[in-house]
Amino acid sequence: MIRTPGYTDQMPVAVVNRRLNWAHSMPLATAWMDLNLTAFADKRALKGLLELSNGRTLNQVPAEPGDIEECAEHPAWPDPGFVLKRPEGGILVCI
């Protein structure tokens, strides 16, 4: 994402979670052995996860319905091309 031409930390960053949908068949008292994938299920955690993963404070914004449709047509992380630069000047991350 930070290698995208013209990227700055002030650019809006939306994240669409396509692949990291994972849950236990039974609710667990702990999140042990889930590889932290359940953190992506809580949209409130995305800002913190992005900051922890790259060491920067980002301008994370909620994904819109059009973002979900856009990510359906593009690769998702870890495949190349999972970061898209929006024509209006933001970043869309498909995970």
Side-chain angles (χ1 to χ4, degrees):
M1 179 175 71
I2 62 176
R3 294 183 193 154
T4 303
Y7 172 80
T8 69
D9 289 345
Q10 290 76 39
M11 290 180 95
V13 177
V15 177
V16 173
N17 179 2
R18 281 186 33 220
R19 283 194 180 164
L20 299 179
N21 295 327
W22 184 88
H24 288 286
S25 56
M26 292 178 45
L28 297 178
T30 68
W32 183 72
M33 292 298 292
D34 78 345
L35 304 174
N36 290 329
L37 297 181
T38 53
F40 289 98
D42 187 350
K43 291 181 175 71
R44 298 171 299 172
L46 285 176
K47 183 174 179 64
L49 288 170
L50 288 172
E51 289 178 16
L52 286 172
S53 66
N54 66 41
R56 296 169 180 255
T57 301
L58 304 177
N59 181 16
Q60 193 265 329
V61 297
E64 299 175 3
D67 298 331
I68 296 166
E69 293 171 10
E70 185 76 18
C71 278
E73 300 173 7
H74 288 86
W77 179 87
D79 296 336
F82 72 94
V83 174
L84 307 169
K85 187 171 181 184
R86 296 173 165 173
E88 65 274 9
I91 299 290
L92 178 59
V93 181
C94 306
I95 58 173

